[in-house]
């Protein structure tokens, strides 16, 4: 918990959230106006959306069928999974929102059972983002490193489908469960370039979430432009204030929310 | 980031078959969709055994065995710890410090085997309080 988030790890109202994109060294800066699901942040989703009979790759080079709904087979890892929800804007992906939902942002902390499962996320789905030594090695749940275990914090950008991957290194077929602690924020971009500079130079407290984007896919770039009008604010050194403010003022003229 | 350290507590149980005087206990748990003869420890993680409960109809020696390579054929197991039920009854062993089994390469595993006196097969049960972290 920092000064701008609560015990759940979610943003307090009237604080600033930074979503940083390593691939471009740019950040989206959001002012949280409201958290519409305050006091109802827990969503017990249930088992992973794995359907019996689905064929998954294994760590040992073969493939294996999912033995029962929600069960991750021994030594297997999933391809990108989305979380279906009936009635959602896109019923195959509960976290997906179109561009006209640009004033909404999902901040999601996912807890998976068993907690020792490997977890990573593809942004967009099917684009693996883990990298080592530039593009020399692609990392992720199917490799020895480049994954988290047990929990994962992220913000879901509108108009992008994320793909979550899970890996089970043990020799047991495991029942699974996912709990989301999430917030649906009403956000806006701060319209003051000086404020943005102070946030991005960490003079003003904010909650930073680094999106695991090491390869800027055209889908994401297009989505950012269509949703927010910009692909983010570049980071500047603290001694580059004048240059930064000029750049930010120009970007703020393009911002859609 | 608000991601928390991962740790999973699992109760694993197994039982003898009641007809043979030695063998390997099939391991089961609420997390397991089907039983396994051994449990493979993910690379970099540890399996901590916090408690053992043993019950049975007769004398039974349970042995915790560990291997560095469960992909080898045959697998070489080494004995780590033994608990003996001297006669019909039950014992419960709680650990202030757990038995720790490490996953060095991702090929390590543990299993439970049993032996009983010759010509005296009996049903016996073992429960392990396991933490993976």
């Amino acid at each position: 918990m920092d000064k701008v988030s609560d015990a759940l790890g979610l943003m307090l109202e009237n604080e600033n959230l930074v979503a940083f994109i390593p691939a471009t060294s740019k950040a989206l800066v959001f002012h949280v106006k409201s958290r519409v699901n305050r006091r109802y942040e827990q969503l017990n989703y249930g088992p992973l959306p794995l359907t019996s009979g689905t064929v998954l790759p294994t760590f040992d080079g073969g493939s294996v069928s999912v033995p029962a709904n929600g069960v991750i087979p021994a030594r297997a890892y999933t391809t990108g999974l989305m979380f279906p929800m009936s009635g959602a804007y896109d019923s195959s992906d509960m976290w997906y929102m179109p561009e006209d939902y640009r004033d909404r942002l999902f901040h999601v902390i996912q807890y998976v059972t068993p907690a020792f499962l490997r977890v990573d996320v593809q942004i967009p789905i099917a684009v693996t983002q883990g990298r080592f030594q530039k593009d020399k090695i692609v990392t992720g749940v199917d490799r020895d490193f480049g994954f988290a275990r047990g929990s994962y914090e992220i913000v879901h950008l509108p108009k992008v489908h994320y793909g979550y991957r899970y890996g089970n290194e043990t020799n047991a077929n495991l029942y699974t469960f996912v709990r989301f602690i999430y917030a649906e924020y009403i956000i806006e971009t701060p319209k003051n370039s000086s404020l943005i500079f102070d946030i991005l130079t960490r003079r003003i407290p904010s909650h930073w979430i680094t999106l695991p984007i090491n390869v800027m896919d055209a889908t994401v770039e297009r989505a950012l432009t269509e949703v927010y009008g910009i692909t983010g604010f570049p980071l500047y050194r603290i001694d580059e204030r004048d240059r930064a403010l000029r750049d930010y003022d120009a970007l703020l003229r393009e911002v859609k929310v | 980031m608000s991601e928390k350290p991962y740790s999973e507590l699992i109760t694993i149980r197994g039982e003898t078959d009641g007809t043979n005087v030695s063998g390997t206990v099939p391991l089961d748990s609420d997390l397991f969709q089907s039983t396994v003869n051994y449990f493979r420890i993910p690379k970099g993680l540890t399996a901590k055994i916090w408690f053992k409960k043993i019950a049975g109809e007769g004398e039974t020696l349970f042995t915790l065995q560990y291997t560095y390579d469960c992909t080898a054929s045959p697998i070489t197991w080494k004995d780590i710890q033994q608990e003996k039920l001297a006669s019909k009854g039950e014992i419960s062993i709680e650990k202030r410090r757990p038995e720790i089994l490490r996953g060095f390469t991702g090929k390590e595993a543990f299993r439970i085997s049993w032996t009983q006196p010759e010509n005296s097969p009996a049903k016996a049960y073992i429960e392990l309080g396991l933490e993976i972290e």
Side-chain angles (χ1 to χ4, degrees), chain A residues 57-78:
Chain A
T58 72
F59 294 110
D60 306 314
S63 61
V64 65
S65 288
V66 173
N69 289 346
V71 171
I72 185 164
R75 305 289 301 153
Y77 57 93
T78 71

Side-chain angles (χ1 to χ4, degrees), chain A residues 178-211:
Chain A
V178 179
R179 182 164 63 101
F180 294 115
I181 300 296
Y182 80 100
E184 180 175 343
Y185 301 129
I186 299 176
I187 54 96
E188 65 177 2
T189 302
K191 300 300 188 297
N192 183 313
S193 56
S194 180
L195 176 62
I196 291 170
F197 181 77
D198 287 345
I199 291 169
L200 294 182
T201 50
R202 302 184 196 261
R203 289 173 173 181
I204 291 180
S206 63
H207 185 63
W208 282 61
I209 297 175
T210 299
L211 294 171

Side-chain angles (χ1 to χ4, degrees), chain A residues 3-17:
Chain A
K3 288 177 180 172
V4 299
S5 61
D6 65 9
L8 295 169
L10 302 172
M11 297 296 300
L12 297 169
E13 294 86 347
N14 208 21
E15 295 290 357
N16 298 302
L17 174 66

Side-chain angles (χ1 to χ4, degrees), chain A residues 110-155:
Chain A
Q110 170 185 155
Y111 296 92
V112 62
T113 300
F116 52 80
L117 292 183
R118 296 178 176 186
V119 189
D120 75 3
V121 62
Q122 301 170 321
I123 306 175
I125 189 167
V127 177
T128 303
Q129 291 287 350
R131 293 290 187 278
F132 181 74
Q133 292 182 346
K134 296 185 178 176
D135 290 331
K136 198 76 179 163
I137 298 174
V138 178
T139 64
V141 296
D142 54 335
R143 302 300 292 260
D144 254 1
F145 62 109
F147 52 80
R149 289 188 194 270
S151 66
Y152 208 95
E153 180 187 16
I154 207 154
V155 290

